[in-house]
Amino acid sequence: MSRAMNGLAAGETRMILITGRRAPEVPQVLVEQGFEVEIRDGAAPEQAASGQVGVEAKGEAEVVVIEGDQVALQRFLGAGSQVKPRSGRALRVAFTYNVKRGIAGDQEAEFDSPRTISAIVEALQGWGYEVVPIEAGPDLPARLDEVAPDLVFNIAEGWHGRSRESQVPAMLEYRGIPFVGSDSVSIALTLDKVLAKRLVASAGLDTPAFQVFRAADEPLNPALTFPLIVKPACEGSSKGIGEGAVVHDEEALRARVRHLRERYNQPALVEAYISGREFTVAVVGNGAEPCVLPVLEVAFNEAAGAFPVYSYEIKQEIVAGARYLCPAPIDRELAERLARRAREVFSALELRDLARVDFRLAEDGTIHFLEVNPLPGLTPDYSDVCLIASAAGLTYQTLVGHLMRAALTRMGFPEEAMPGVVPLSTLAAGVGLGEAVG
């Protein structure tokens, strides 16, 4: 269990946030299991006051506060379930994750809701695997010894430092346990946006000109001209990227750097602001030609401002500043260029199994690499990768099946251990008129 759950006495209560999209059944299920449920933001005040459940929410604005004892909560998440003897030839898959617990601010922005965790468990079970969910806390090594899995499906984000996302993969590598996803080196490199940009640039790929600020009073490189965008160097989920991220003069630049240094205790990445369309590309598989799913465009609107960025507020739908078009309304030539560039980034950073790559298209047609996420969100009907998969005609279970097949093939597991999915190579790279998917 996580640090937040340590030291709880039997029967003591803990509050946890569930953020959900189009999932009114979640509160009802929890009520039936004896939890006290209060709906906020996603319901009218009178509905929240009456305890009414099953209210349709608007995106991640729905916040459900659940109060229950530790044992019941762990049972609902599956993390406290006893390990049963192996059944037949089914692979035993340990599923490692970090769960949102309602800490204020953006500290848990990269963690997953119980709804996402349950969806992944159900998808893996749907392929016949024996699944043991384990929250990635201090007792993870002991839990893995108890479970003795054949492999691990990992989405844990880690707790501290710029290498936090690599903590679970590194521990699995140390113990010789195979797992789905990129190795610890690649995951550590990609969370550090500066190192990722340097490696991508060294491979001859375009990325916005940049400078690293370790203090607010450092001189600005004269090659950088305003507007500029200022980001934390080692954060995900657009943490620290919001109102004020795009700066137009040195006073604003230094104030923003100072703010991020104080808030996140890490260097600030200052980049040339690329005015143009934004695309995200999901890459699944391994080898020389991993599959690229249909391209998704993050189509900004007036609410995103005159210098739009894919901000924390837009991702959390606090600000309705974008629509998601997939397949993106682009011609075949651009779709193929984006697919090729995504594969090149995937290769340059030595990623495997799954990644989401973000690009900006400059007015001169140059495709600029922004960042890559080897642990992209997998919230059904909400996360970019899930919207892309849906546009490609893949169900959620099929998407998870493809991730498992890619990893099992790489690990050398026999065919009978593989999910029976149609090869992704049969899908097009994604060219169309552009359908709103979120």
Side-chain angles (χ1 to χ4, degrees):
M1 66 188 69
S2 75
R3 297 172 188 268
M5 297 292 288
N6 285 347
L8 286 179
E12 186 177 349
T13 60
R14 172 66 66 187
M15 301 188 77
I16 173 170
L17 294 181
I18 290 185
T19 57
R21 180 186 179 89
R22 305 190 189 107
E25 71 279 1
V26 171
Q28 184 61 51
V29 169
L30 288 163
V31 168
E32 291 171 356
Q33 296 200 17
F35 290 96
E36 295 180 14
V37 177
E38 178 185 353
I39 300 178
R40 298 179 182 173
D41 295 345
E46 63 273 11
Q47 293 170 324
S50 66
Q52 180 179 344
V53 297
V55 179
E56 180 72 18
K58 294 183 178 180
E60 292 289 296
E62 178 192 26
V63 179
V64 182
V65 181
I66 299 136
E67 190 172 351
D69 67 80
Q70 177 189 3
V71 174
L73 180 58
Q74 291 286 55
R75 187 183 301 119
F76 176 73
L77 297 178
S81 58
Q82 293 184 346
V83 180
K84 300 178 181 179
R86 293 183 182 276
S87 56
R89 300 172 62 187
L91 290 180
R92 175 173 288 174
V93 180
F95 169 45
T96 50
Y97 60 86
N98 291 115
V99 66
K100 293 181 187 292
R101 296 194 178 279
I103 298 175
D106 61 6
Q107 183 175 338
E108 297 181 323
E110 297 166 300
F111 290 2
D112 288 281
S113 72
R115 185 171 76 91
T116 301
I117 294 163
S118 296
I120 294 174
V121 170
E122 291 173 6
L124 290 169
Q125 290 174 336
W127 290 113
Y129 300 115
E130 179 188 348
V131 184
V132 183
I134 308 175
E135 186 168 2
D139 63 347
L140 178 58
R143 287 286 287 146
L144 287 170
D145 287 342
E146 175 190 355
V147 170
D150 295 300
L151 71 153
V152 172
F153 190 104
N154 174 59
I155 63 169
E157 300 282 351
W159 284 97
H160 304 291
R162 66 173 180 168
S163 62
R164 61 185 179 275
E165 290 185 346
S166 67
Q167 290 168 354
V168 171
M171 186 269 292
L172 295 173
E173 289 166 348
Y174 182 77
R175 302 168 80 87
I177 303 173
F179 58 95
V180 179
S182 294
D183 68 12
S184 60
V185 174
S186 294
I187 287 185
L189 286 172
T190 53
L191 183 60
D192 189 319
K193 294 180 175 67
V194 176
L195 293 180
K197 284 169 65 70
R198 286 173 177 162
L199 283 172
V200 167
S202 71
L205 309 179
D206 293 299
T207 187
F210 69 97
Q211 180 179 347
V212 180
F213 276 74
R214 291 177 173 80
D217 59 355
E218 292 184 20
L220 176 65
N221 186 332
L224 287 175
T225 58
F226 294 99
L228 301 169
I229 180 170
V230 189
K231 311 172 181 178
C234 305
E235 295 295 342
S237 300
S238 289
K239 291 167 63 175
I241 304 175
E243 185 177 358
V246 178
V247 296
H248 301 271
D249 55 54
E250 286 211 26
E251 181 180 358
L253 166 65
R254 301 191 186 288
R256 190 67 184 178
V257 169
R258 190 175 298 108
H259 165 73
L260 294 183
R261 290 281 296 133
E262 293 173 355
R263 173 69 179 83
Y264 297 101
N265 191 31
Q266 60 187 259
L269 169 62
V270 177
E271 285 183 321
Y273 177 81
I274 304 299
S275 178
R277 299 168 72 181
E278 184 151 332
F279 300 98
T280 191
V281 182
V283 183
V284 180
N286 296 290
E289 290 289 321
C291 181
V292 172
L293 296 180
V295 175
L296 180 146
E297 179 174 7
V298 181
F300 298 109
N301 57 37
E302 291 182 358
F307 295 87
V309 294
Y310 200 13
S311 66
Y312 175 81
E313 289 77 12
I314 289 177
K315 285 188 177 181
Q316 299 298 318
E317 295 190 346
I318 299 169
V319 175
R323 296 173 69 237
Y324 305 92
L325 307 178
C326 191
I330 55 179
D331 59 31
R332 183 170 299 278
E333 187 271 338
L334 178 54
E336 291 175 350
R337 284 205 296 136
L338 285 164
R340 183 167 59 253
R341 185 53 47 86
R343 289 190 180 100
E344 290 170 340
V345 170
F346 197 81
S347 174
L349 297 172
E350 298 185 11
L351 302 176
R352 64 191 195 191
D353 300 342
L354 172 68
R356 194 203 71 237
V357 193
D358 299 335
F359 298 106
R360 270 286 173 106
L361 181 69
E363 294 180 359
D364 64 1
T366 301
I367 296 173
H368 288 269
F369 164 77
L370 299 181
E371 61 181 89
V372 60
N373 190 344
L375 286 174
L378 292 174
T379 301
D381 302 318
Y382 180 80
S383 295
D384 291 347
V385 168
C386 296
L387 297 180
I388 291 168
S390 179
L394 304 178
T395 66
Y396 191 80
Q397 180 173 324
T398 303
L399 170 63
V400 172
H402 280 295
L403 303 185
M404 285 293 291
R405 188 174 187 89
L408 291 171
T409 300
R410 170 178 55 77
M411 298 171 193
F413 278 79
E415 180 64 29
E416 55 265 28
M418 309 285 183
V421 290
V422 176
L424 283 176
S425 58
T426 61
L427 296 175
V431 181
L433 296 179
E435 180 180 352
V437 292

